Amino acid sequence: MVRAGRWVAILFGMFAISGAAWAQTQATRPERYLFEAANRERRAAGLPPLKWNEPLAIAARAHAKEMAHQNTVSHRLPGEAALPGRAAKAGAHFSWLSENIVQSRDAAGAHSQFMKSAAHKANLLDADMNAVGIGVVERHGQLFVVEDFAQRK
């Protein structure tokens, strides 16, 4: 019984912390799901959790919106800056960046695709990264997902 109580307290503490962090963001339900899923994977791998970074999220949402508009998945679209330029324009400060992108029917499917891809999984579990911003845009029943990871300065 004591053990179950400890888990409830730990879980309550996690939600209380994440709830406070969300007060300062416009994160959507799918973005929150992907953030929590990424940190579950990192905890399982013995890594520290990523911190939510709103400027990275702004950059990720803008890129997801452009992917949805063009109905394509690409790290760089015509007329768009590369990831470092997009992140800097949104106000992110970083020493290193990486990005995951995918199109999926739902957030759980997007996370599953990331974890099945060696390159995407490596980005998510990169011990040098300490911040993330996630953008999700829906178009015609499909989610266009961008996860921008950074090592903050």
Side-chain angles (χ1 to χ4, degrees):
M1 283 300 228
V2 175
R3 189 175 219 195
R6 277 183 59 202
W7 282 110
V8 169
I10 290 168
L11 288 173
F12 177 74
M14 285 176 15
F15 287 117
I17 291 167
S18 63
W22 295 122
Q24 301 301 314
T25 183
Q26 299 297 314
T28 64
R29 183 170 287 158
E31 291 167 353
R32 291 177 189 203
Y33 175 89
L34 289 162
F35 176 71
E36 303 270 335
N39 279 330
R40 273 194 310 274
E41 299 291 351
R42 289 177 65 86
R43 278 191 298 278
L47 297 169
L50 296 165
K51 290 187 169 62
W52 182 265
N53 183 277
E54 192 62 21
L56 284 176
I58 290 166
R61 286 185 198 115
H63 187 58
K65 182 177 179 181
E66 191 59 31
M67 289 193 319
H69 176 74
Q70 294 189 30
N71 197 31
T72 191
V73 176
S74 176
H75 288 285
R76 188 170 184 187
L77 297 164
E80 185 181 52
L83 174 58
R86 295 191 316 259
K89 181 179 177 184
H93 302 282
F94 52 86
S95 328
W96 189 252
L97 291 167
S98 64
E99 179 172 75
N100 286 349
I101 58 172
V102 73
Q103 181 179 345
S104 183
R105 289 180 45 205
D106 58 33
H111 180 70
S112 178
Q113 287 181 59
F114 288 147
M115 294 309 292
K116 289 177 183 174
S117 160
H120 291 113
K121 183 177 180 178
N123 284 342
L124 197 144
L125 297 178
D126 186 339
D128 291 331
M129 299 300 181
N130 57 18
V132 67
I134 300 170
V136 178
V137 174
E138 187 273 334
R139 180 177 185 225
H140 303 301
Q142 289 290 305
L143 299 182
F144 291 81
V145 178
V146 178
E147 295 180 333
D148 287 341
F149 302 94
Q151 181 183 64
R152 292 205 55 203
K153 285 185 177 178

